[in-house]
Amino acid sequence: MIPRDPLNADFLIHGIRFITFTSMKFITRTVWILSIISLFADVASEMLYPVIPVYLQQIGFSVLWIGILEGLANFTAGISKGYFGKMSDDKGVRLPFVKTGYFFSALSKPMMGLFIWPIWIFFARTLDRLGKGIRTAARDALLSQESSRETKARVFSFHRAWDTVGACLGPCVALVLLHFYPHQYATVFFIAFIPGLISVALIFFLKETKRPQQIQSNRSFFGFLHYWKIASSQYKKLVIGLLLLALFNSSDVFLLLRTKEITGNDNHVIGAYIFYNLVYASSSFPMGILADKLGISKIFTIGILLFAIVYGGFAIASETWMIYALFFLYGIYAGATEGIAKAWIANLAHESKTATAIGFYTSFESVCALCASIVAGFVWTKFGAAPTFGLTAAIAVFVLIYFQLLKYSRELRSP
């Protein structure tokens, strides 16, 4: 019990313990295993993420082509999420999609270091993102099944927190490797294969009960688009706002390139990214708890406000300390939005079509990410970094106003 006497010196400590215990009891074995799987998968992916833009520039890619490559790779992942999400719902199973997706992503890691041909690099990045497309909706549907509407934000945020711990460890490993083997990026790609395989092996500890198969009314690749016709109005309004933001939210690669431009140091590029992920990992679960208690929409809109501040800051930043301050705020933004947005969508989805609903959104999010990365690369090439980040900040303010005007209620009832 929490002490009732506010003068008790242990009041705050007992309160924190009480909140932590009541939040953690909703974390099931399946959620734990999925979280650790994501941790190892992100160690593998994030070992490469801060290295890739520097590596691509080294082998001759321009900023514009980096934007196109990342946009197309993410587009491939995204457009497939809806298809595989619907297939998971139709077949009534999740794990086969989770296993295949993580395996493809693991396999893509050493491929990056084998050859430097542009078409090969594109194929490797696309395979990695395709793996993400195959597994994401099915995995998120599993997380949704393991939670109630009242606990969904903390469950999704708990998973995101462990996922981001991997995103912290990955760049640390890359930093150590590059310290002892400067500019030997192929070595990093090969070593990243190890945690990728561990993530695949852990999936075999999961079990699921097969759900009844659904009548597959539309078997086409874009059959998931039919979900829009039966979705609730709240789901539609939410997705419209999220996609508008995604349309101008380019790849984080541009934040890393801006960091390199300001600091002139590869170590700061990786170090700032590690710092961002530490903040993200630390804030994600507490933000999920707050979202369940205070309302998802309130915490989410705070996150969008922070996003606008960060991108506005990157437009005018000129000192190294400013970069780290902005990445701190960016970590809080991610903790307040990434897992929470998925929980929000899952709460508004039809129970039997959770993977389809999530896949629908993430598919279009990736289409928007493609446009955002290409536009960012073009604007940067023609006008410089400041207008690139300033435009995104302005759009974020508009999206913030949009969500404020909608005035979503705290209780997000599933249809």
Side-chain angles (χ1 to χ4, degrees):
M1 294 293 293
I2 301 178
R4 297 182 179 275
D5 182 6
L7 298 179
N8 190 318
D10 294 331
F11 178 78
L12 181 59
I13 295 175
H14 284 288
I16 292 173
R17 287 175 178 172
F18 177 79
I19 292 174
T20 301
F21 172 76
T22 55
S23 298
M24 290 296 291
K25 70 180 182 180
F26 298 109
I27 308 302
T28 66
R29 176 180 180 274
T30 297
V31 173
W32 265 109
I33 294 176
L34 285 172
S35 299
I36 302 304
I37 288 170
S38 289
L39 183 152
F40 279 101
D42 251 41
V43 168
S45 294
E46 300 300 331
M47 281 176 64
L48 308 185
Y49 194 80
V51 170
I52 284 175
V54 180
Y55 171 67
L56 292 178
Q57 283 188 320
Q58 183 188 70
I59 63 177
F61 280 73
S62 66
V63 173
L64 176 59
W65 278 108
I66 291 174
I68 292 174
L69 172 64
E70 288 299 302
L72 286 174
N74 284 302
F75 171 79
T76 301
I79 203 64
S80 64
K81 288 175 184 176
Y83 173 74
F84 288 110
K86 183 177 183 301
M87 185 182 293
S88 175
D89 282 336
D90 289 343
K91 292 185 177 297
V93 292
R94 311 298 187 195
L95 289 185
F97 298 92
V98 176
K99 291 175 183 177
T100 303
Y102 278 111
F103 176 72
F104 278 6
S105 291
L107 185 62
S108 71
K109 302 302 186 290
M111 291 174 60
M112 288 285 291
L114 289 176
F115 305 105
I116 62 172
W117 306 327
I119 190 66
W120 180 263
I121 296 296
F122 170 76
F123 176 68
R125 286 294 292 153
T126 302
L127 184 65
D128 177 47
R129 298 296 84 190
L130 178 61
K132 187 175 181 66
I134 293 172
R135 71 179 182 255
T136 296
R139 182 203 63 205
D140 289 344
L142 270 177
L143 290 172
S144 183
Q145 290 169 205
E146 294 294 314
S147 60
S148 66
R149 188 170 61 85
E150 293 76 17
T151 64
K152 213 169 291 283
R154 75 192 76 178
V155 167
F156 274 86
S157 295
F158 180 84
H159 173 265
R160 291 302 304 172
W162 281 101
D163 181 279
T164 310
V165 169
C168 298
L169 296 176
C172 289
V173 175
L175 196 62
V176 171
L177 289 172
L178 292 175
H179 174 75
F180 290 103
Y181 306 99
H183 307 296
Q184 294 187 26
Y185 300 113
T187 301
V188 181
F189 296 141
F190 293 134
I191 293 178
F193 187 47
I194 299 173
L197 281 182
I198 294 175
S199 70
V200 176
L202 288 172
I203 299 173
F204 290 90
F205 288 94
L206 289 172
K207 296 180 180 179
E208 71 170 323
T209 302
K210 186 174 181 179
R211 301 158 64 90
Q213 292 193 18
Q214 301 181 27
I215 299 176
Q216 301 182 35
S217 57
N218 193 328
R219 297 171 181 268
S220 69
F221 184 82
F222 294 102
F224 67 91
L225 296 177
H226 176 73
Y227 184 74
W228 187 256
K229 296 180 180 179
I230 63 174
S232 67
S233 60
Q234 281 187 311
Y235 174 89
K236 293 177 180 179
K237 291 174 182 177
L238 171 61
V239 167
I240 288 172
L242 294 176
L243 293 182
L244 179 59
L245 181 64
L247 190 58
F248 291 87
N249 184 7
S250 57
S251 169
D252 287 348
V253 164
F254 291 97
L255 297 178
L256 301 179
L257 290 173
R258 178 64 166 159
T259 300
K260 177 64 181 294
E261 183 179 80
I262 293 172
T263 66
N265 189 311
D266 288 352
N267 289 339
H268 278 305
V269 174
I270 300 176
Y273 193 66
I274 294 172
F275 177 63
Y276 150 70
N277 280 301
L278 284 171
V279 177
Y280 181 7
S282 301
S283 64
S284 186
F285 190 47
M287 286 295 178
I289 296 173
L290 288 175
D292 279 334
K293 294 182 179 297
L294 303 179
I296 288 178
S297 62
K298 290 182 181 179
I299 302 303
F300 187 83
T301 50
I302 290 173
I304 296 179
L305 175 61
L306 292 176
F307 179 85
I309 293 171
V310 168
Y311 269 77
F314 267 99
I316 62 175
S318 59
E319 302 290 339
T320 299
W321 69 267
M322 297 175 69
I323 293 297
Y324 281 90
L326 291 171
F327 269 115
F328 174 80
L329 294 179
Y330 197 54
I332 301 295
Y333 145 76
T337 57
E338 295 290 340
I340 289 173
K342 293 283 186 70
W344 199 350
I345 289 171
N347 270 338
L348 296 176
H350 293 75
E351 185 177 354
S352 63
K353 296 184 180 295
T354 304
T356 305
I358 294 173
F360 180 98
Y361 159 65
T362 50
S363 285
F364 279 96
E365 180 191 34
S366 295
V367 173
C368 292
L370 169 63
C371 297
S373 293
I374 292 175
V375 169
F378 176 79
V379 174
W380 188 315
T381 301
K382 292 292 183 180
F383 306 104
T388 304
F389 293 105
L391 175 62
T392 300
I395 297 298
V397 172
F398 179 81
V399 173
L400 179 62
I401 295 172
Y402 170 83
F403 276 108
Q404 288 297 104
L405 292 176
L406 286 181
K407 296 181 179 179
Y408 279 100
S409 64
R410 283 184 60 189
E411 294 185 1
L412 303 176
R413 300 187 183 278
S414 299

